Amino acid sequence: MASIVVAKLHPPLAIIGRQTLFGTVQPPTLSVPRTRQGHLAITAKATSESSESLSSQSVVKSVKNIWDKPEDLIAVIGLGIAATIGFWASSNFIAAIDQLPLIPGVFEFIGILFSSWFVYRYLLFRPDRKELFQAINKSISDILGQ
Protein backbone atom coordinates (compact mmCIF):
# COMPACT_ATOMS: atom_id res chain seq x y z
CA MET A 1 0.00 0.00 0.00
CA ALA A 2 1.50 3.34 -1.01
CA SER A 3 0.46 6.77 0.12
CA ILE A 4 1.57 9.88 -1.79
CA VAL A 5 0.75 13.55 -1.24
CA VAL A 6 0.76 15.63 -4.42
CA ALA A 7 0.57 19.43 -4.31
CA LYS A 8 -2.36 21.00 -6.22
CA LEU A 9 -3.04 18.20 -8.66
CA HIS A 10 -6.53 18.95 -9.96
CA PRO A 11 -7.18 16.46 -12.82
CA PRO A 12 -7.48 12.85 -11.67
CA LEU A 13 -4.58 10.52 -12.35
CA ALA A 14 -4.96 7.78 -14.92
CA ILE A 15 -2.66 4.82 -14.42
CA ILE A 16 -2.47 2.32 -17.25
CA GLY A 17 -1.37 -1.32 -16.83
CA ARG A 18 2.33 -1.86 -17.47
CA GLN A 19 4.14 -4.81 -19.01
CA THR A 20 6.88 -6.19 -16.76
CA LEU A 21 9.28 -9.07 -16.91
CA PHE A 22 6.82 -11.34 -15.08
CA GLY A 23 3.62 -10.29 -16.85
CA THR A 24 1.15 -7.46 -17.05
CA VAL A 25 0.57 -5.48 -13.89
CA GLN A 26 -3.09 -4.75 -13.33
CA PRO A 27 -4.07 -1.10 -13.04
CA PRO A 28 -4.03 -0.19 -9.36
CA THR A 29 -7.10 1.00 -7.54
CA LEU A 30 -6.95 4.63 -6.49
CA SER A 31 -8.74 6.45 -3.73
CA VAL A 32 -8.54 10.22 -4.06
CA PRO A 33 -9.60 12.11 -0.92
CA ARG A 34 -9.04 15.89 -0.90
CA THR A 35 -7.25 17.53 1.98
CA ARG A 36 -7.99 20.96 3.44
CA GLN A 37 -4.92 22.71 2.03
CA GLY A 38 -5.70 22.04 -1.61
CA HIS A 39 -3.40 19.04 -1.73
CA LEU A 40 -4.43 15.74 -3.16
CA ALA A 41 -3.69 12.55 -1.23
CA ILE A 42 -3.42 9.46 -3.40
CA THR A 43 -3.48 5.96 -2.00
CA ALA A 44 -2.67 3.24 -4.52
CA LYS A 45 -3.26 -0.44 -3.99
CA ALA A 46 -1.88 -2.77 -6.65
CA THR A 47 -3.56 -6.04 -7.46
CA SER A 48 -1.64 -9.15 -8.36
CA GLU A 49 -2.25 -11.73 -11.04
CA SER A 50 -3.00 -15.35 -10.33
CA SER A 51 0.05 -16.51 -12.34
CA GLU A 52 2.37 -14.73 -9.92
CA SER A 53 0.78 -16.47 -6.96
CA LEU A 54 1.04 -19.80 -8.80
CA SER A 55 4.74 -19.26 -9.44
CA SER A 56 5.33 -18.42 -5.77
CA GLN A 57 3.42 -21.55 -4.77
CA SER A 58 5.56 -23.62 -7.14
CA VAL A 59 8.70 -22.18 -5.57
CA VAL A 60 7.43 -23.13 -2.12
CA LYS A 61 6.58 -26.63 -3.34
CA SER A 62 10.00 -27.13 -4.91
CA VAL A 63 11.75 -25.97 -1.72
CA LYS A 64 9.56 -28.34 0.29
CA ASN A 65 10.45 -31.23 -2.05
CA ILE A 66 14.16 -30.47 -1.70
CA TRP A 67 13.78 -30.29 2.08
CA ASP A 68 11.99 -33.65 2.20
CA LYS A 69 14.53 -35.39 -0.08
CA PRO A 70 17.58 -35.81 2.23
CA GLU A 71 17.62 -39.08 4.10
CA ASP A 72 19.27 -37.62 7.20
CA LEU A 73 17.58 -34.32 8.05
CA ILE A 74 19.40 -34.09 11.39
CA ALA A 75 22.74 -34.02 9.55
CA VAL A 76 21.47 -31.31 7.19
CA ILE A 77 20.24 -29.22 10.12
CA GLY A 78 23.56 -29.78 11.91
CA LEU A 79 25.52 -28.65 8.87
CA GLY A 80 23.37 -25.54 8.60
CA ILE A 81 23.92 -24.69 12.27
CA ALA A 82 27.66 -25.39 11.95
CA ALA A 83 27.89 -23.14 8.88
CA THR A 84 26.05 -20.35 10.71
CA ILE A 85 28.32 -20.63 13.76
CA GLY A 86 31.41 -20.78 11.54
CA PHE A 87 30.37 -17.64 9.65
CA TRP A 88 29.65 -15.82 12.92
CA ALA A 89 32.99 -16.90 14.45
CA SER A 90 35.01 -15.93 11.38
CA SER A 91 33.37 -12.50 11.16
CA ASN A 92 34.11 -11.91 14.87
CA PHE A 93 37.69 -13.10 14.38
CA ILE A 94 38.22 -10.72 11.47
CA ALA A 95 36.69 -7.87 13.48
CA ALA A 96 39.04 -8.67 16.38
CA ILE A 97 42.08 -8.65 14.10
CA ASP A 98 40.92 -5.37 12.63
CA GLN A 99 40.89 -3.84 16.13
CA LEU A 100 44.61 -4.54 16.68
CA PRO A 101 46.64 -1.39 16.04
CA LEU A 102 49.47 -2.81 13.91
CA ILE A 103 48.00 -5.74 11.95
CA PRO A 104 45.72 -3.85 9.47
CA GLY A 105 48.57 -1.52 8.49
CA VAL A 106 50.90 -4.46 7.89
CA PHE A 107 48.29 -6.25 5.75
CA GLU A 108 47.68 -3.07 3.76
CA PHE A 109 51.43 -2.67 3.16
CA ILE A 110 51.70 -6.31 2.04
CA GLY A 111 48.76 -5.76 -0.33
CA ILE A 112 50.37 -2.66 -1.83
CA LEU A 113 53.67 -4.52 -2.33
CA PHE A 114 51.98 -7.51 -3.96
CA SER A 115 49.86 -5.29 -6.24
CA SER A 116 52.96 -3.35 -7.31
CA TRP A 117 54.86 -6.55 -8.05
CA PHE A 118 51.90 -7.97 -10.04
CA VAL A 119 51.62 -4.81 -12.16
CA TYR A 120 55.38 -4.79 -12.82
CA ARG A 121 55.54 -8.53 -13.54
CA TYR A 122 52.43 -9.03 -15.70
CA LEU A 123 50.82 -5.76 -16.82
CA LEU A 124 53.55 -3.28 -17.65
CA PHE A 125 55.02 -4.81 -20.83
CA ARG A 126 53.28 -6.46 -23.79
CA PRO A 127 55.12 -9.84 -23.76
CA ASP A 128 54.33 -10.20 -20.06
CA ARG A 129 50.64 -9.47 -20.69
CA LYS A 130 50.61 -12.17 -23.40
CA GLU A 131 52.20 -14.58 -20.94
CA LEU A 132 49.50 -13.74 -18.35
CA PHE A 133 46.70 -14.29 -20.88
CA GLN A 134 48.22 -17.63 -21.90
CA ALA A 135 48.39 -18.70 -18.24
CA ILE A 136 44.76 -17.64 -17.69
CA ASN A 137 43.58 -19.46 -20.82
CA LYS A 138 45.51 -22.59 -19.80
CA SER A 139 43.92 -22.50 -16.34
CA ILE A 140 40.45 -22.07 -17.82
CA SER A 141 40.98 -24.98 -20.22
CA ASP A 142 42.27 -27.15 -17.33
CA ILE A 143 39.21 -26.30 -15.24
CA LEU A 144 36.77 -26.96 -18.09
CA GLY A 145 38.60 -30.15 -19.07
CA GLN A 146 39.42 -29.17 -22.62
Side-chain angles (χ1 to χ4, degrees):
M1 188 100 137
S3 182
I4 304 169
V5 176
V6 180
K8 296 188 181 183
L9 181 65
H10 295 291
L13 276 178
I15 298 179
I16 302 169
R18 292 186 177 196
Q19 186 72 15
T20 64
L21 182 62
F22 301 111
T24 304
V25 176
Q26 298 295 326
T29 59
L30 294 176
S31 62
V32 187
R34 296 243 180 224
T35 62
R36 284 187 275 173
Q37 300 169 341
H39 294 272
L40 183 65
I42 299 174
T43 305
K45 184 177 180 183
T47 59
S48 63
E49 292 182 354
S50 62
S51 65
E52 292 176 5
S53 64
L54 289 177
S55 66
S56 64
Q57 289 175 357
S58 66
V59 169
V60 170
K61 286 181 182 178
S62 65
V63 169
K64 186 177 178 185
N65 289 338
I66 291 172
W67 176 254
D68 292 339
K69 242 183 189 177
E71 296 174 6
D72 195 7
L73 287 177
I74 295 173
V76 172
I77 292 170
L79 286 174
I81 292 171
T84 304
I85 291 172
F87 178 74
W88 173 77
S90 64
S91 66
N92 284 336
F93 181 71
I94 290 171
I97 286 178
D98 196 37
Q99 296 291 327
L100 297 174
L102 188 59
I103 303 289
V106 170
F107 284 151
E108 186 175 348
F109 182 66
I110 290 171
I112 291 171
L113 286 178
F114 181 76
S115 299
S116 303
W117 171 81
F118 185 82
V119 166
Y120 176 74
R121 172 67 178 92
Y122 289 111
L123 302 178
L124 201 55
F125 303 109
R126 181 176 294 219
D128 296 333
R129 285 191 299 264
K130 288 182 181 178
E131 179 185 346
L132 176 65
F133 289 135
Q134 288 173 354
I136 290 172
N137 289 335
K138 183 181 181 296
S139 299
I140 290 173
S141 65
D142 288 344
I143 290 171
L144 296 177
Q146 296 176 353

